[in-house]
Amino acid sequence: MDIPRIFTVSESAHRIHNPFTAEKLAALGASLRMEPGTRVLDLGSGSGEMLCTWARDHGISGTGIDMSPLFTEQARLRARELGVADRVTFVHGDAAGYVADAKVGVAACVGATWIGGGVAGTIELLAQSLQDGGLILIGEPYWLRLPPTEEVAQGCRAQAISDFLLLPDLIASFDALHYDVVEMMLASQDSWDRYEAAKWLTMRRWLDANPDDDFAPEVRAELTTAPERYTRYGRDYLGWGVFALMAR
Ligand code: SAH
């Protein structure tokens, strides 16, 4: 079971597979005022940077589920590197339908809401693992401004304009689900650049090291087009944020 190879090639050197810097991830962790010992569930945990650094900085414990064997292994290595391997566990698997055995204080899905079939379905899934009064974290893109055409939306790697909402409408959608938005951390253009532009050197180095790999043409095509596509479309149109929610 794995995710499409382009992600594990282009993001192999990323610790955070989202448009957040380490500083933003740390600021989000501090903003949530988690008590030591808080249990955190993370669906689509990637290379585990959120759980590992929050375990180090705030004494939380956690479980992450991720479909990528490579990212899951990187997460386990990171836990050992930060000395938190006794408190965080990373499971390789499909997080769709995953409900924790013991209820958690924080249930997160940061940049992978297709796991629950969209934002509303993911909130419903996470809520099944959450203790009363717990926090749900949702990381999700939104439009900084509406794309004028479907073609522009596709340039942002959306399937359609209707995939995402404007920020106030995304916030309103949480309200409609009877959740209070109690915290929020948004990506900036700089932090988006760290996510997107860092892929380009990784891809170039991979191509130089693997010129005869069957997958090389796909990586070559991506490296050739990604910088222009990102600067023409995504950089001006797409926002991203993590929203902390509490049920009313
Ligand atoms: N939350 C992490 C990773 C976000 S990228 C971070 O912020 O760094 C999206 C992640 O979802 C990838 O690591 C990918 O492997 C994972 N993923 C995709 N589909 C999944 C599924 N069905 N179940 C579990 N993980 C999935």
Side-chain angles (χ1 to χ4, degrees), residues 203-223:
M203 286 194 282
R204 176 54 201 257
R205 293 229 162 120
W206 186 92
L207 279 168
D208 288 348
N210 301 278
D212 301 322
D213 194 289
D214 287 351
F215 196 57
E218 192 169 325
V219 177
R220 167 39 61 202
E222 181 62 20
L223 176 58

mmCIF file of all heavy atoms in Angstrom, residues 203-223:
data_model
loop_
_atom_site.group_PDB
_atom_site.id
_atom_site.type_symbol
_atom_site.label_atom_id
_atom_site.label_comp_id
_atom_site.label_asym_id
_atom_site.label_seq_id
_atom_site.Cartn_x
_atom_site.Cartn_y
_atom_site.Cartn_z
ATOM 1 N N MET A 203 13.962 17.028 -6.643
ATOM 2 C CA MET A 203 13.704 16.335 -7.919
ATOM 3 C C MET A 203 14.934 16.382 -8.817
ATOM 4 O O MET A 203 15.288 15.391 -9.455
ATOM 5 C CB MET A 203 12.498 16.966 -8.631
ATOM 6 C CG MET A 203 11.167 16.600 -7.970
ATOM 7 S SD MET A 203 9.734 16.982 -8.992
ATOM 8 C CE MET A 203 9.614 18.753 -8.748
ATOM 9 N N ARG A 204 15.598 17.557 -8.857
ATOM 10 C CA ARG A 204 16.781 17.672 -9.716
ATOM 11 C C ARG A 204 17.876 16.697 -9.265
ATOM 12 O O ARG A 204 18.506 16.017 -10.075
ATOM 13 C CB ARG A 204 17.283 19.119 -9.698
ATOM 14 C CG ARG A 204 18.560 19.348 -10.471
ATOM 15 C CD ARG A 204 18.431 18.848 -11.925
ATOM 16 N NE ARG A 204 19.759 18.623 -12.467
ATOM 17 C CZ ARG A 204 20.361 19.466 -13.318
ATOM 18 N NH1 ARG A 204 19.730 20.535 -13.763
ATOM 19 N NH2 ARG A 204 21.584 19.225 -13.726
ATOM 20 N N ARG A 205 18.084 16.605 -7.953
ATOM 21 C CA ARG A 205 19.118 15.693 -7.446
ATOM 22 C C ARG A 205 18.733 14.236 -7.710
ATOM 23 O O ARG A 205 19.587 13.420 -8.021
ATOM 24 C CB ARG A 205 19.308 15.918 -5.943
ATOM 25 C CG ARG A 205 19.900 17.289 -5.648
ATOM 26 C CD ARG A 205 21.075 17.177 -4.688
ATOM 27 N NE ARG A 205 21.883 18.377 -4.748
ATOM 28 C CZ ARG A 205 22.127 19.187 -3.730
ATOM 29 N NH1 ARG A 205 21.601 18.905 -2.550
ATOM 30 N NH2 ARG A 205 22.901 20.233 -3.887
ATOM 31 N N TRP A 206 17.427 13.944 -7.567
ATOM 32 C CA TRP A 206 16.968 12.572 -7.839
ATOM 33 C C TRP A 206 17.196 12.227 -9.306
ATOM 34 O O TRP A 206 17.674 11.130 -9.626
ATOM 35 C CB TRP A 206 15.483 12.444 -7.481
ATOM 36 C CG TRP A 206 14.975 11.028 -7.594
ATOM 37 C CD1 TRP A 206 14.929 10.078 -6.621
ATOM 38 C CD2 TRP A 206 14.464 10.391 -8.795
ATOM 39 N NE1 TRP A 206 14.429 8.890 -7.115
ATOM 40 C CE2 TRP A 206 14.134 9.050 -8.446
ATOM 41 C CE3 TRP A 206 14.255 10.821 -10.105
ATOM 42 C CZ2 TRP A 206 13.607 8.140 -9.362
ATOM 43 C CZ3 TRP A 206 13.735 9.912 -11.026
ATOM 44 C CH2 TRP A 206 13.412 8.596 -10.657
ATOM 45 N N LEU A 207 16.899 13.169 -10.203
ATOM 46 C CA LEU A 207 17.103 12.924 -11.638
ATOM 47 C C LEU A 207 18.577 12.704 -11.947
ATOM 48 O O LEU A 207 18.929 11.821 -12.735
ATOM 49 C CB LEU A 207 16.576 14.120 -12.439
ATOM 50 C CG LEU A 207 15.076 14.141 -12.681
ATOM 51 C CD1 LEU A 207 14.646 15.500 -13.226
ATOM 52 C CD2 LEU A 207 14.657 13.024 -13.635
ATOM 53 N N ASP A 208 19.442 13.500 -11.322
ATOM 54 C CA ASP A 208 20.878 13.345 -11.584
ATOM 55 C C ASP A 208 21.376 11.985 -11.091
ATOM 56 O O ASP A 208 22.273 11.394 -11.691
ATOM 57 C CB ASP A 208 21.674 14.479 -10.910
ATOM 58 C CG ASP A 208 21.460 15.809 -11.628
ATOM 59 O OD1 ASP A 208 20.891 15.809 -12.744
ATOM 60 O OD2 ASP A 208 21.832 16.859 -11.064
ATOM 61 N N ALA A 209 20.766 11.492 -10.012
ATOM 62 C CA ALA A 209 21.205 10.215 -9.433
ATOM 63 C C ALA A 209 20.536 9.013 -10.105
ATOM 64 O O ALA A 209 21.039 7.894 -10.002
ATOM 65 C CB ALA A 209 20.924 10.195 -7.937
ATOM 66 N N ASN A 210 19.382 9.235 -10.757
ATOM 67 C CA ASN A 210 18.601 8.112 -11.310
ATOM 68 C C ASN A 210 18.202 8.359 -12.768
ATOM 69 O O ASN A 210 17.020 8.243 -13.118
ATOM 70 C CB ASN A 210 17.330 7.897 -10.473
ATOM 71 C CG ASN A 210 17.624 7.603 -9.018
ATOM 72 O OD1 ASN A 210 17.925 6.478 -8.655
ATOM 73 N ND2 ASN A 210 17.556 8.644 -8.192
ATOM 74 N N PRO A 211 19.174 8.688 -13.636
ATOM 75 C CA PRO A 211 18.795 9.092 -15.004
ATOM 76 C C PRO A 211 18.082 7.996 -15.788
ATOM 77 O O PRO A 211 17.276 8.298 -16.664
ATOM 78 C CB PRO A 211 20.142 9.444 -15.656
ATOM 79 C CG PRO A 211 21.181 8.738 -14.842
ATOM 80 C CD PRO A 211 20.639 8.676 -13.441
ATOM 81 N N ASP A 212 18.342 6.739 -15.461
ATOM 82 C CA ASP A 212 17.778 5.640 -16.251
ATOM 83 C C ASP A 212 16.562 4.991 -15.589
ATOM 84 O O ASP A 212 16.048 3.990 -16.080
ATOM 85 C CB ASP A 212 18.856 4.573 -16.493
ATOM 86 C CG ASP A 212 20.048 5.185 -17.225
ATOM 87 O OD1 ASP A 212 19.815 6.043 -18.105
ATOM 88 O OD2 ASP A 212 21.196 4.839 -16.885
ATOM 89 N N ASP A 213 16.122 5.543 -14.483
ATOM 90 C CA ASP A 213 14.956 4.981 -13.794
ATOM 91 C C ASP A 213 13.709 5.124 -14.688
ATOM 92 O O ASP A 213 13.542 6.136 -15.376
ATOM 93 C CB ASP A 213 14.750 5.741 -12.473
ATOM 94 C CG ASP A 213 13.803 5.027 -11.534
ATOM 95 O OD1 ASP A 213 12.572 5.002 -11.831
ATOM 96 O OD2 ASP A 213 14.278 4.514 -10.513
ATOM 97 N N ASP A 214 12.845 4.114 -14.652
ATOM 98 C CA ASP A 214 11.600 4.184 -15.439
ATOM 99 C C ASP A 214 10.761 5.399 -15.084
ATOM 100 O O ASP A 214 9.945 5.865 -15.890
ATOM 101 C CB ASP A 214 10.724 2.943 -15.151
ATOM 102 C CG ASP A 214 11.303 1.710 -15.792
ATOM 103 O OD1 ASP A 214 12.257 1.853 -16.587
ATOM 104 O OD2 ASP A 214 10.816 0.598 -15.476
ATOM 105 N N PHE A 215 10.938 5.862 -13.870
ATOM 106 C CA PHE A 215 10.104 6.968 -13.394
ATOM 107 C C PHE A 215 10.695 8.343 -13.767
ATOM 108 O O PHE A 215 10.043 9.368 -13.601
ATOM 109 C CB PHE A 215 9.963 6.843 -11.872
ATOM 110 C CG PHE A 215 8.857 7.666 -11.291
ATOM 111 C CD1 PHE A 215 7.546 7.514 -11.716
ATOM 112 C CD2 PHE A 215 9.132 8.604 -10.307
ATOM 113 C CE1 PHE A 215 6.534 8.277 -11.171
ATOM 114 C CE2 PHE A 215 8.116 9.378 -9.761
ATOM 115 C CZ PHE A 215 6.814 9.216 -10.198
ATOM 116 N N ALA A 216 11.925 8.341 -14.306
ATOM 117 C CA ALA A 216 12.614 9.606 -14.589
ATOM 118 C C ALA A 216 11.826 10.547 -15.507
ATOM 119 O O ALA A 216 11.791 11.759 -15.247
ATOM 120 C CB ALA A 216 14.016 9.338 -15.142
ATOM 121 N N PRO A 217 11.182 10.047 -16.578
ATOM 122 C CA PRO A 217 10.440 10.993 -17.441
ATOM 123 C C PRO A 217 9.347 11.759 -16.688
ATOM 124 O O PRO A 217 9.120 12.946 -16.946
ATOM 125 C CB PRO A 217 9.837 10.085 -18.528
ATOM 126 C CG PRO A 217 10.739 8.891 -18.559
ATOM 127 C CD PRO A 217 11.198 8.688 -17.141
ATOM 128 N N GLU A 218 8.686 11.066 -15.753
ATOM 129 C CA GLU A 218 7.630 11.759 -15.001
ATOM 130 C C GLU A 218 8.214 12.844 -14.093
ATOM 131 O O GLU A 218 7.680 13.953 -13.977
ATOM 132 C CB GLU A 218 6.819 10.741 -14.184
ATOM 133 C CG GLU A 218 5.552 11.345 -13.625
ATOM 134 C CD GLU A 218 4.605 10.302 -13.032
ATOM 135 O OE1 GLU A 218 4.510 9.174 -13.551
ATOM 136 O OE2 GLU A 218 3.962 10.643 -12.025
ATOM 137 N N VAL A 219 9.331 12.515 -13.453
ATOM 138 C CA VAL A 219 9.966 13.504 -12.574
ATOM 139 C C VAL A 219 10.510 14.671 -13.405
ATOM 140 O O VAL A 219 10.375 15.834 -13.028
ATOM 141 C CB VAL A 219 11.087 12.843 -11.738
ATOM 142 C CG1 VAL A 219 11.809 13.873 -10.883
ATOM 143 C CG2 VAL A 219 10.502 11.728 -10.863
ATOM 144 N N ARG A 220 11.067 14.354 -14.556
ATOM 145 C CA ARG A 220 11.591 15.400 -15.445
ATOM 146 C C ARG A 220 10.465 16.348 -15.861
ATOM 147 O O ARG A 220 10.597 17.573 -15.809
ATOM 148 C CB ARG A 220 12.261 14.708 -16.635
ATOM 149 C CG ARG A 220 12.637 15.493 -17.861
ATOM 150 C CD ARG A 220 13.188 16.884 -17.682
ATOM 151 N NE ARG A 220 14.427 17.013 -16.928
ATOM 152 C CZ ARG A 220 14.791 18.158 -16.327
ATOM 153 N NH1 ARG A 220 14.019 19.242 -16.385
ATOM 154 N NH2 ARG A 220 15.904 18.239 -15.654
ATOM 155 N N ALA A 221 9.331 15.782 -16.253
ATOM 156 C CA ALA A 221 8.197 16.611 -16.688
ATOM 157 C C ALA A 221 7.711 17.487 -15.540
ATOM 158 O O ALA A 221 7.393 18.668 -15.725
ATOM 159 C CB ALA A 221 7.065 15.717 -17.184
ATOM 160 N N GLU A 222 7.707 16.937 -14.348
ATOM 161 C CA GLU A 222 7.252 17.703 -13.183
ATOM 162 C C GLU A 222 8.219 18.841 -12.872
ATOM 163 O O GLU A 222 7.803 19.981 -12.651
ATOM 164 C CB GLU A 222 7.103 16.749 -11.984
ATOM 165 C CG GLU A 222 6.615 17.384 -10.708
ATOM 166 C CD GLU A 222 5.221 17.989 -10.798
ATOM 167 O OE1 GLU A 222 4.460 17.620 -11.710
ATOM 168 O OE2 GLU A 222 4.919 18.867 -9.960
ATOM 169 N N LEU A 223 9.519 18.539 -12.894
ATOM 170 C CA LEU A 223 10.505 19.584 -12.580
ATOM 171 C C LEU A 223 10.488 20.686 -13.642
ATOM 172 O O LEU A 223 10.654 21.868 -13.331
ATOM 173 C CB LEU A 223 11.909 18.978 -12.467
ATOM 174 C CG LEU A 223 13.039 19.996 -12.233
ATOM 175 C CD1 LEU A 223 12.786 20.812 -10.966
ATOM 176 C CD2 LEU A 223 14.394 19.298 -12.161
#
